[in-house]
Amino acid sequence: MQAQEIPLSMFLNKGKNFIIPVYQRNYDWKRKQCAQLLKDIESVQADQLYFIGSIVHKRKSNLITQAELVIIDGQQRITTITLFLLRIAELFKEHGDILYQQIWDNYIQNRYEDGEEKLKLKPIISDFEVFKSLVNGNTENISNGNRILDNYLFFRENITTYEHAKKLYKNFNQLTIVEIALSNEDDPQKIFQSLNSTGLELSQADLIRNYLLMNLEYGYQEKIFQNYWSIIEKNCHKVNLNESRLSYFFRDYLTLKFNSIPSYNNIFESFKEKFADINNDEKNFEKELDEMKRYSNYYYQLINPELVGNNRISKHLENLDKLEVTVAYPFLLSVLYDFDKEEIDENTLIRIIKLVQSFVFRRFICGVPTNALNKIFMTLHNNSNKLRKKFPTLSYFDSIALTLSRYTSYQRFPTDDEVKEALKTKDIYSIRSKNKLYLFERLENEYDDFQENDIDLFENENISIEHIFPQNPSSEWKNQLNAQELTEMEVRRNTLANLTVVINNSSLGNRSFIEKRDLNQENSKGYKYSKLKLNDYLANLEKWNLVALEERGNLLIEKFLKIWEFPELPYIEEVPEEEVSILDIADATGKLVKYYILNGNKIEKDSFIGMYKDVIKYLYSDYFDILFSPEMKEIVNISREKSDFITPIEIESGYYVERQLSADRIVNKLKKIAEMREDILDLRVCFKEEE
């Protein structure tokens, strides 16, 4: 590696071509970064050099005569400077300044070349076509929303006079960079990661792309990019929001493949660890990429449900998307894979999508903490497969339903009775908007078996949630109720029983019940004329009181239980589970450990103290701050002082815990840790059979 500070103009002039390799992300500097660059250039003082960063490159060929430089780091800056110079050249040409040709021949094109070789800058394919059109003056051929076009227009809008252009070009010639030229022995990946000169933080997916493609021979890079990476990238784009979900896809892919959930900021490091040898064998490399591409097709269906060709599947995936159950994606990717292989049919797939919603939404209604969900869905596919192997008569769906039904405590699937009690008192009106809209949209659309045109509460701004008994009741409302009824109505004002959907909520306000019922204006309809099923009960009601509220509440609860149903479970002869969650162990006295599974990793050890030590060691390694938090100190006594313990056992780096603990005490400590932080600890134990 050789590094030197040189004028930017000299660097741009010496390269025949500046090639942006396919593993680089698309050009994505925004106007904000362009404005800062322009401000930097404008601020250059006379006769002073101005440093604007580093550019890392490697020769495409070892031949000195072919100065084609592959840009490892600095593509955003080079591309933006080129757009800046393009605008300067335009103004010079308009005013007959001969420097126009100098800019054009030194920085924009290779004067004596033809065709595509004429352009010095070679962005990745999608950007190159846009850049070519810009240079040729064909801006009308470029679709709106392209960054290269938008940033060129920024310079055109902000550099408008010949005098301004002359000053900027003079300052440009005073810009310097550190040129870092890599040799064949240098590792571009490590150097790329150690630098931060792009101006924008790299995403986890950017780092993965670089890791996979950077060290490949140039032609092979192009092949892999076209056949695999570009397809994966496209599949992981959420169309209606125009945003990439690629980093999230790799997090979910790693979770389903390796049964371990990386933190968002650690996706790349986890990927690199799991796929350390991916480039060692070309056949295996493409096999792994082909699998990623296949799962990205399923991911596309999850994040773009409205674009799924099958209307039935699309509808239920849209419901799932509105509930934002992204935590279930690793499990659902496995299910969609099985559906693609025709291991399950369409009806089974739909039942599973609805089951996931029932499980998650019932837990939400009952206020069950969500931090256990990622571990539940991480292991659900494998655990249901194990159950089906043990009981071959179980169907695919039943094995999943049974697995979910067996969870207890914070992992449980709330029963009908639990949901009924929660819905009677839960403040539905104050829950997050997306959950509220999801609830009322499905209640309305699935109110009965007759379906006509579904409403979309997420898109229809005229339909809104309405209090039947108003938030600010008038004297007329108060006069119709005695003191006890009024108090009870106010207490239950925000519950499901007192809420409905209406057209143009503002016209109803705190009118009397009969007025709300019979309103029939062109743009505002009361309960009787709304044509909404949730208002059927209200359409012919004469008054709204506690009796009516109770009746409607029970009616809606029954509707809820049918839509978000608890599955009918087949009878199987109960046998002790081979692997038991630490949370489900009631009494460990007299039991012998066969092995245990810590966050998906099976550990062949046969002692409670060994299991306890491994959990504390894991917390020490990955969650140091949590292990030494005040809450954890109430559970675990860990110290460097051996004298603090009767029988100390070392965990790590001179830290000790007590060895002399009964099986029950160890289990109770581990249960408390798991209950406190189910998001970081999943521990299952297999006991030896009693002799």
Side-chain angles (χ1 to χ4, degrees):
M1 179 175 72
Q2 294 182 337
Q4 62 175 336
E5 184 173 0
I6 64 169
L8 176 61
S9 58
M10 182 184 295
F11 174 76
L12 294 177
N13 190 30
K14 79 181 201 178
K16 173 187 173 184
N17 291 119
F18 299 104
I19 300 168
I20 310 300
V22 293
Y23 58 75
Q24 295 273 25
R25 60 184 170 190
N26 293 351
Y27 175 69
D28 56 7
W29 262 22
K30 300 179 177 64
R31 287 190 167 214
K32 178 181 177 181
Q33 283 81 32
C34 293
Q36 183 61 53
L37 178 66
L38 185 59
K39 184 179 178 181
D40 289 344
I41 297 173
E42 287 174 332
S43 68
V44 174
Q45 300 297 312
D47 302 321
Q48 285 188 358
L49 299 177
Y50 191 91
F51 176 70
I52 63 166
S54 58
I55 293 176
V56 184
H57 67 81
K58 190 173 185 178
R59 281 182 177 270
K60 181 183 175 185
S61 167
N62 289 327
L63 298 176
I64 297 176
T65 56
Q66 294 184 2
E68 293 182 295
L69 306 182
V70 177
I71 304 303
I72 307 300
D73 191 38
Q75 71 125 329
Q76 307 284 339
R77 184 170 286 104
I78 286 179
T79 304
T80 308
I81 285 288
T82 303
L83 297 176
F84 162 81
L85 289 169
L86 189 60
R87 176 55 184 159
I88 298 295
E90 286 175 347
L91 283 169
F92 281 6
K93 185 177 182 181
E94 289 172 11
H95 288 79
D97 192 323
I98 59 172
L99 287 176
Y100 151 73
Q101 198 65 48
Q102 181 189 89
I103 296 173
W104 201 257
D105 291 343
N106 289 348
Y107 310 126
I108 307 296
Q109 66 178 8
N110 294 298
R111 186 173 186 178
Y112 301 107
E113 298 289 344
D114 294 318
E116 292 186 353
E117 293 297 317
K118 199 170 185 69
L119 295 178
K120 295 188 68 132
L121 180 66
K122 285 191 168 182
I124 64 173
I125 295 171
S126 57
D127 288 342
F128 184 58
E129 294 303 315
V130 175
F131 181 63
K132 239 188 344 182
S133 295
L134 261 184
V135 172
N136 294 328
N138 298 326
T139 54
E140 67 277 1
N141 296 332
I142 307 172
S143 59
N144 291 328
N146 181 273
R147 289 286 181 206
I148 286 184
L149 172 63
D150 194 50
N151 290 345
Y152 161 76
L153 293 176
F154 167 83
F155 289 120
R156 197 167 77 176
E157 293 162 11
N158 288 275
I159 309 173
T160 57
T161 66
Y162 173 59
E163 289 71 22
H164 190 199
K166 281 200 300 182
K167 180 179 183 298
L168 289 171
Y169 187 59
K170 180 176 181 296
N171 290 359
F172 159 75
N173 284 291
Q174 294 171 237
L175 301 179
T176 68
I177 62 163
V178 169
E179 176 194 12
I180 302 175
L182 304 186
S183 67
N184 290 332
E185 290 73 35
D186 293 318
D187 186 341
Q189 174 70 23
K190 288 183 179 178
I191 293 169
F192 180 81
Q193 286 181 241
S194 67
L195 296 170
N196 185 27
S197 61
T198 61
L200 288 175
E201 183 181 355
L202 291 165
S203 72
Q204 297 293 301
D206 290 330
L207 294 170
I208 291 172
R209 174 172 54 185
N210 298 338
Y211 176 72
L212 289 173
L213 303 180
M214 182 176 282
N215 290 320
L216 304 180
E217 182 273 325
Y218 187 73
Y220 192 47
Q221 275 182 7
E222 294 282 348
K223 174 192 171 184
I224 295 299
F225 180 80
Q226 292 296 332
N227 292 348
Y228 300 103
W229 185 267
S230 64
I231 298 169
I232 294 170
E233 195 171 64
K234 184 178 180 181
N235 284 340
C236 297
H237 192 81
K238 189 166 176 64
V239 175
N240 63 353
L241 296 180
N242 191 27
E243 65 182 31
S244 173
R245 296 289 174 85
L246 193 56
S247 294
Y248 293 100
F249 164 72
F250 279 110
R251 184 175 191 243
D252 292 331
Y253 181 74
L254 288 168
T255 299
L256 80 88
K257 190 171 177 68
F258 299 104
N259 215 32
S260 179
I261 307 169
S263 65
Y264 182 80
N265 292 327
N266 201 44
I267 296 170
F268 168 64
E269 290 301 326
S270 178
F271 184 93
K272 190 166 64 169
E273 177 189 341
K274 302 298 185 184
F275 292 101
D277 301 323
I278 193 169
N279 280 327
N280 289 358
D281 176 74
E282 186 175 303
K283 185 177 180 181
N284 181 62
F285 179 51
E286 295 198 34
K287 180 182 176 183
E288 292 286 0
L289 285 171
D290 192 60
E291 184 180 53
M292 294 173 199
K293 183 172 75 172
R294 182 170 192 167
Y295 276 100
S296 76
N297 287 323
Y298 310 140
Y299 198 76
Y300 177 86
Q301 298 174 51
L302 293 175
I303 64 174
N304 297 297
E306 69 281 1
L307 301 179
V308 173
N310 183 307
N311 290 334
R312 288 185 69 218
I313 295 174
S314 175
K315 172 187 172 182
H316 292 287
L317 285 176
E318 280 193 71
N319 286 336
L320 186 81
D321 187 51
K322 288 174 179 178
L323 187 55
E324 297 181 6
V325 195
T326 56
V327 71
Y329 282 4
F331 165 70
L332 291 167
L333 287 171
S334 297
V335 174
L336 287 168
Y337 175 82
D338 292 340
F339 175 66
D340 193 29
K341 292 197 304 179
E342 299 184 352
E343 290 187 14
I344 58 174
D345 60 17
E346 180 181 311
N347 288 333
T348 302
L349 174 61
I350 289 171
R351 288 181 72 196
I352 292 168
I353 296 170
K354 292 175 70 175
L355 177 68
V356 168
Q357 293 177 74
S358 293
F359 179 69
V360 171
F361 203 55
R362 279 177 172 239
R363 287 167 57 87
F364 168 75
I365 291 297
C366 295
V368 183
T370 61
N371 56 5
L373 286 174
N374 53 7
K375 293 289 173 60
I376 290 172
F377 285 115
M378 177 185 77
T379 58
L380 181 55
H381 192 259
N382 287 338
N383 287 342
S384 62
N385 281 344
K386 289 177 184 177
L387 191 62
R388 200 156 64 254
K389 286 178 181 177
K390 189 182 294 186
F391 301 98
T393 58
L394 281 178
S395 70
Y396 189 101
F397 175 85
D398 285 343
S399 66
I400 294 169
L402 268 172
T403 301
L404 288 176
S405 72
R406 290 183 167 192
Y407 290 125
T408 59
S409 185
Y410 294 137
Q411 297 179 313
R412 71 187 184 277
F413 197 150
T415 63
D416 285 358
D417 288 341
E418 192 176 352
V419 172
K420 286 178 184 178
E421 288 304 309
L423 284 173
K424 287 177 181 178
T425 58
K426 188 174 183 68
D427 184 346
I428 295 294
Y429 190 74
S430 300
I431 65 177
R432 287 178 62 190
S433 178
K434 60 105 177 171
N435 287 333
K436 185 164 54 178
L437 294 176
Y438 167 81
L439 167 63
F440 282 97
E441 182 177 291
R442 286 201 65 190
L443 278 173
E444 172 64 28
N445 292 334
E446 300 173 49
Y447 191 83
D448 53 34
D449 293 333
F450 178 73
Q451 294 184 353
E452 193 172 2
N453 296 316
D454 285 353
I455 66 167
D456 188 336
L457 292 183
F458 288 79
E459 297 295 332
N460 195 327
E461 296 179 356
N462 292 325
I463 301 178
S464 55
I465 312 300
E466 153 79 359
H467 287 82
I468 303 168
F469 174 77
Q471 290 179 288
N472 300 299
S474 64
S475 57
E476 184 176 356
W477 271 99
K478 293 177 181 179
N479 292 335
Q480 292 174 358
L481 302 167
N482 62 42
Q484 183 178 349
E485 287 179 315
L486 183 62
T487 300
E488 184 66 18
M489 277 288 194
E490 289 175 340
V491 169
R492 300 179 65 178
R493 179 191 287 125
N494 288 348
T495 62
L496 180 63
N498 191 54
L499 299 172
T500 191
V501 288
V502 295
I503 300 170
N504 199 344
N505 172 290
S506 59
S507 297
L508 298 181
N510 64 351
R511 293 173 184 243
S512 70
F513 176 77
I514 296 300
E515 288 178 301
K516 288 187 173 189
R517 185 194 69 183
D518 296 341
L519 185 68
N520 189 19
Q521 298 175 357
E522 182 178 352
N523 296 319
S524 183
K525 303 295 183 182
Y527 309 141
K528 184 180 291 188
Y529 301 101
S530 69
K531 296 183 180 179
L532 296 169
K533 296 175 184 178
L534 278 170
N535 294 327
D536 284 354
Y537 177 83
L538 304 171
N540 299 305
L541 203 64
E542 294 300 323
K543 58 183 177 180
W544 185 248
N545 54 22
L546 280 179
V547 173
L549 181 135
E550 195 72 33
E551 286 183 356
R552 184 170 183 269
N554 290 334
L555 173 68
L556 293 181
I557 287 172
E558 290 305 314
K559 301 288 185 186
F560 184 102
L561 296 177
K562 288 181 180 178
I563 296 170
W564 292 275
E565 65 180 351
F566 192 93
E568 289 186 18
L569 302 172
Y571 172 78
I572 59 173
E573 186 177 350
E574 288 296 330
V575 295
E577 281 191 288
E578 188 175 89
E579 295 162 3
V580 185
S581 168
I582 192 71
L583 295 168
D584 295 336
I585 300 174
D587 184 3
T589 305
K591 294 185 181 295
L592 299 174
V593 174
K594 184 177 180 182
Y595 64 83
Y596 46 93
I597 300 175
L598 176 57
N599 290 342
N601 298 311
K602 186 176 181 180
I603 301 170
E604 300 279 0
K605 292 183 181 177
D606 60 359
S607 70
F608 283 99
I609 191 63
M611 178 169 63
Y612 180 62
K613 180 181 176 182
D614 282 342
V615 170
I616 305 305
K617 190 171 182 178
Y618 152 70
L619 293 173
Y620 179 90
S621 172
D622 291 11
Y623 297 97
F624 187 86
D625 292 341
I626 292 174
L627 177 60
F628 289 93
S629 66
E631 297 83 4
M632 194 66 77
K633 285 180 181 178
E634 297 293 320
I635 305 170
V636 178
N637 181 19
I638 181 169
S639 170
R640 288 185 180 276
E641 299 296 328
K642 295 176 70 173
S643 59
D644 291 345
F645 308 100
I646 299 172
T647 312
I649 180 173
E650 186 174 10
I651 297 297
E652 190 86 26
S653 303
Y655 279 99
Y656 297 86
V657 295
E658 180 59 60
R659 176 198 292 270
Q660 196 169 313
L661 296 171
S662 68
D664 255 357
R665 284 195 66 190
I666 290 173
V667 167
N668 286 332
K669 283 177 178 290
L670 294 176
K671 284 172 75 171
K672 287 178 182 178
I673 296 172
E675 287 171 351
M676 184 175 80
R677 293 304 302 262
E678 279 189 287
D679 56 328
I680 64 172
L681 179 62
D682 178 35
L683 181 62
R684 303 185 70 81
V685 186
C686 177
F687 294 114
K688 295 178 181 178
E689 293 184 12
E690 296 182 8
E691 297 180 357

